[in-house]
Amino acid sequence: MEPFCQHEFGWRVALDFLLSGTGSSMYLAYRLMFLTDPIILLIGPFLVMLGLVVLFSELGKPTNFWRSIINYRTSWMARGAIFNSAFLLIWFMMLVAYALRFYVVLGLLGIIELPVAALVLIYPVMLLKDVRDITVWKSTSTAIVTLIYAIAGGLSADAMLVSLFQPEFLSRFLFASSVVELILFISLYLYINSLHRSKSKAVGASYRKMMSEKKMLSLVFAGALVPLAMDLASLAFVEFSLYLMIMGLAFSIAGVYAFRFLLLLAGYHEPLVSEKMIRKKPAL
């Protein structure tokens, strides 16, 4: 038996992963820098909300959403819907507290929001690892690269927004983004090589599929290299360049989506029947 490709997860799941991962990492990175600009804090949760809308469309009928939540003990997609909903609910409560100037309540909600945002960030990784017989999705290296790419996308988006609303803090975001993008590029190179060296038939099929999608694979690597070059150039220039920031963000977001979509395209199941199971026992 040969490995066969999955067809359940497509572009909408990849888009949900992009929006929820980028939005949650934007919020986490910005808050962990101890910054609280309300305009910037609106963007990340708004992306998570769009991801939740995409998740609704993936579930089909709206009533399937409530049915899926009931299965939270066995389904990571259901847990993802719960995490996203909780994130948005706390975010809405923070907006109300900010409008009413309940700053103590706002601070407490902000502390609660951080671990929820982390759950939103990691749920796509856990969803893929929950698929039992797609080896490439279950690997630790896939989880690591997926998380690093999400963080890189969030930092690039934060840097773009900070350059417009809080330029005095831009250098710290550019430096953090440059470090993460360098780590990302090295991780991508090691990741592809690890797939090539794998002895698993399914992983080998996944590797060949990735290699056949040359344009998308090139975009995955460009999504790490181009933003890195743009961030380093912005750090080197005395005057800020909006063009470099926009180009870096565009390539970063495109790379995040391309990696997720390529990962879904390359999701090959292990053969249903292994060679060991059909091998005849020697006659006694």
Side-chain angles (χ1 to χ4, degrees), residues 2-239:
E2 293 297 325
F4 59 98
C5 188
Q6 67 86 27
H7 298 288
E8 290 79 16
F9 291 173
W11 67 270
R12 285 184 295 186
V13 174
L15 184 58
D16 172 40
F17 288 176
L18 166 68
L19 294 170
S20 61
T22 303
S24 58
S25 63
M26 282 179 64
Y27 183 88
L28 280 169
Y30 188 76
R31 288 304 303 269
L32 290 176
M33 292 283 188
F34 302 103
L35 300 177
T36 56
D37 186 278
I39 297 178
I40 298 179
L41 290 175
L42 285 173
I43 306 300
F46 178 73
L47 294 180
V48 174
M49 182 174 63
L50 291 180
L52 193 60
V53 172
V54 173
L55 187 60
F56 285 165
S57 67
E58 181 67 19
L59 292 174
K61 298 179 181 179
T63 54
N64 290 342
F65 171 72
W66 304 110
R67 191 179 305 164
S68 68
I69 288 182
I70 298 175
N71 299 325
Y72 69 93
R73 294 183 178 179
T74 57
S75 170
W76 268 99
M77 183 170 286
R79 293 168 190 163
I82 294 173
F83 296 157
N84 286 12
S85 300
F87 180 80
L88 294 175
L89 177 61
I90 297 172
W91 171 63
F92 177 76
M93 295 169 64
M94 291 175 64
L95 290 179
V96 174
Y98 180 79
L100 297 177
R101 298 184 179 181
F102 294 161
Y103 296 118
V104 175
V105 176
L106 180 63
L108 292 175
L109 290 173
I111 294 174
I112 298 172
E113 185 79 312
L114 287 174
V116 180
L119 291 173
V120 174
L121 178 63
I122 66 172
Y123 109 82
V125 172
M126 301 309 298
L127 174 63
L128 295 181
K129 288 179 72 69
D130 196 45
V131 181
R132 297 180 180 178
D133 56 344
I134 299 184
T135 308
V136 71
W137 289 359
K138 293 175 67 66
S139 70
T140 303
S141 56
T142 297
I144 292 173
V145 175
T146 302
L147 289 175
I148 294 175
Y149 224 142
I151 295 170
L155 281 170
S156 293
D158 276 339
M160 178 68 193
L161 294 172
V162 167
S163 68
L164 297 175
F165 299 102
Q166 295 177 307
E168 64 273 18
F169 300 113
L170 178 59
S171 59
R172 68 171 70 174
F173 280 92
L174 290 176
F175 177 76
S177 181
S178 300
V179 172
V180 173
E181 285 152 2
L182 179 60
I183 295 173
L184 172 62
F185 178 75
I186 296 173
S187 300
L188 281 171
Y189 177 78
L190 296 175
Y191 176 66
I192 296 299
N193 281 339
S194 69
L195 296 183
H196 179 59
R197 294 193 303 268
S198 176
K199 296 181 180 180
S200 167
K201 283 188 175 182
V203 175
S206 298
Y207 171 77
R208 290 189 294 273
K209 180 63 176 180
M210 288 184 180
M211 291 296 103
S212 66
E213 300 288 342
K214 297 185 183 301
K215 292 182 179 179
M216 194 170 296
L217 186 62
S218 299
L219 185 58
V220 168
F221 277 93
L225 278 179
V226 174
L228 174 61
M230 298 300 101
D231 288 346
L232 293 177
S234 297
L235 283 171
F237 290 165
V238 177
E239 295 184 359

Side-chain angles (χ1 to χ4, degrees), residues 252-278:
S252 179
I253 297 302
V256 173
Y257 179 77
F259 177 74
R260 280 154 175 71
F261 189 55
L262 186 61
L263 193 61
L264 296 181
L265 284 179
Y268 276 82
H269 293 268
E270 292 288 351
L272 293 176
V273 182
S274 66
E275 293 181 4
K276 293 181 179 179
M277 293 177 62
I278 63 176

